[in-house]
């Protein structure tokens, strides 16, 4: 399960947290980021920063770099 987290200064989504432990920034060069995108597109759960399951996760992934 992945959960979005926000940048404290901009209040914009800055990355995801994997299983409540590992922080993955939105960086196209990061292999964990690439894995995150593939897994969500394949059906892995994505939650918003408030913990709500995103029903439009695939569409959201399409907006990321």
């Amino acid at each position: 399960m992945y959960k979005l987290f926000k940048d404290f200064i901009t209040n914009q989504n800055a990355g995801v947290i994997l299983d409540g432990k590992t922080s993955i920034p939105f960086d196209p060069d990061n292999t964990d980021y690439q894995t995150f995108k593939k897994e969500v597109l394949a059906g892995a759960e994505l939650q918003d920063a408030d913990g709500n399951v995103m029903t439009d996760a695939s569409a959201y992934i399409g907006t990321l770099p």
Side-chain angles (χ1 to χ4, degrees):
M1 175 198 54
Y2 294 95
K3 181 178 179 181
L4 295 172
F5 69 86
K6 294 186 179 214
D7 179 289
F8 292 110
I9 296 170
T10 66
N11 202 37
Q12 299 294 315
N13 292 328
V16 293
I17 298 173
L18 172 62
D19 295 328
K21 300 183 257 185
T22 305
S23 174
I24 303 170
F26 290 155
D27 177 1
D29 294 330
N30 184 311
T31 57
D32 290 330
Y33 174 67
Q34 295 300 327
T35 300
F36 148 72
K37 288 175 44 175
K38 288 177 188 174
E39 288 184 0
V40 170
L41 289 173
E45 183 177 291
L46 176 61
Q47 296 179 354
D48 65 18
D50 295 323
N52 302 308
V53 175
M54 296 180 68
T55 57
D56 59 347
S58 293
Y60 179 75
I61 294 297
T63 68
L64 298 174

